């Protein structure tokens, strides 16, 4: 049976305060760290009963997503769950705020995160070799299709993914996400004509589990162009 997935947007980063896209790989603000505590309380209350053997955590290797995962899912970290870093869940744009740092910079700070399967070209987003991470409709849609297919075949019963608002909206789920908000999905029974796995939103998740996000969905790929 395919897993239930929890899609989480990172908490507030410094670039979110004034839309300063020139900040490179920004960290969380003080408010962002507080948001992580609310996120943690909600996740633990709702989903903390899952045995750790049935749980996986996947995180974009950006500083703000790793910080969000480390605070918001700290009970899993404390119980020995190894978080998996994946470049496939990074943000769409190649602005400095959405471009990561070399993995070597963070390995000591985040020993509970396994970086071994991060794409070797990380954090490259602009060379021909990095075209799968391009900020185009076709690339984002294809990446979203790919990550859903990978999740569908995983053995765990519950998978947390800590990622980014634009990719979660345009490439994966069709919903906007407020900082540190999340939604829970199950895989639907249908597959689209393009072979894409479909998602079914859990009841009461329209505005996000914390009630902070816009309720209405938007078309996948909206606002992106080739």
């Amino acid at each position: 049976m395919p897993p239930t997935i929890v899609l989480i947007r990172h908490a507030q980063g410094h670039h979110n305060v004034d839309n300063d896209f020139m900040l490179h790989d920004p960290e969380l603000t003080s408010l962002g760290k507080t948001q992580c505590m609310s996120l943690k309380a909600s996740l633990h209350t709702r989903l903390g009963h899952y045995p750790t053997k049935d749980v996986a955590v996947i995180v974009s290797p950006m500083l703000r997503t790793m910080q969000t995962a480390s605070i918001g899912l700290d009970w899993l970290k404390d119980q020995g769950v190894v978080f998996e870093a994946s470049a496939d869940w990074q943000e769409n744009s190649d602005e400095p705020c959405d471009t990561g740092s070399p993995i070597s910079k963070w390995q000591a700070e985040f020993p509970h995160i396994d970086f071994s399967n991060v794409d070797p070209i990380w954090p490259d987003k602009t060379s021909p070799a990095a075209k799968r991470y391009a900020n185009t409709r076709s690339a984002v849609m294809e990446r979203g299709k790919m990550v859903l297919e990978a999740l569908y075949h995983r053995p765990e019963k519950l998978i947390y993914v800590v990622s980014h608002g634009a990719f979660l909206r345009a490439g994966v789920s069709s919903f906007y996400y407020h900082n540190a908000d999340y939604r829970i999905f199950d895989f639907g029974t249908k597959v689209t004509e393009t072979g894409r796995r479909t998602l079914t939103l859990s009841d009461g998740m329209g505005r996000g589990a914390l009630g902070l996000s816009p309720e209405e969905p938007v078309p996948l790929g909206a606002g992106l162009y080739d």
Side-chain angles (χ1 to χ4, degrees), residues 189-201:
T189 57
K190 296 181 180 180
V191 176
T192 69
E193 293 180 355
T194 62
R196 183 187 182 92
R197 300 286 176 182
T198 57
L199 296 175
T200 301
L201 185 66

Side-chain angles (χ1 to χ4, degrees), residues 86-92 117-121 124-144 146-147 150 167:
S86 171
D88 292 335
W89 288 94
Q90 66 182 293
E91 187 57 293
N92 300 340
N117 291 320
V118 174
D119 190 332
I121 70 170
D124 178 16
K125 301 188 75 168
T126 58
S127 76
K131 63 181 180 179
R132 67 187 286 182
Y133 306 119
N135 190 27
T136 63
R137 187 178 190 278
S138 58
V140 171
M141 291 284 286
E142 181 60 28
R143 184 155 58 97
M146 180 186 66
V147 295
F167 182 59

Side-chain angles (χ1 to χ4, degrees), residues 22-82:
M22 298 308 294
L23 290 174
H24 177 248
D25 198 7
E27 66 178 335
L28 296 183
T29 64
S30 295
L31 174 59
K33 293 175 182 178
T34 299
Q35 290 172 334
C36 288
M37 299 306 294
S38 297
L39 172 67
K40 171 187 171 181
S42 178
L43 289 171
H44 192 269
T45 297
R46 194 182 297 269
L47 301 167
H49 61 281
Y50 276 81
T52 55
K53 66 181 180 63
D54 295 329
V55 174
V57 178
I58 300 173
V59 58
S60 162
M62 301 291 291
L63 177 55
R64 60 188 182 270
T65 40
M66 294 189 293
Q67 289 178 318
T68 299
S70 299
I71 301 170
L73 297 166
D74 72 346
W75 80 93
L76 294 173
K77 172 173 64 73
D78 292 344
Q79 292 176 24
V81 174
V82 176

Side-chain angles (χ1 to χ4, degrees), residues 1-5 148-149 151-152 172 184-192 195-202:
M1 185 174 180
T4 293
I5 62 174
L148 288 176
E149 187 68 21
L151 291 180
Y152 183 86
V172 181
I184 302 173
F185 296 89
D186 290 302
F187 282 95
T189 57
K190 296 181 180 180
V191 176
T192 69
R196 183 187 182 92
R197 300 286 176 182
T198 57
L199 296 175
T200 301
L201 185 66
S202 293

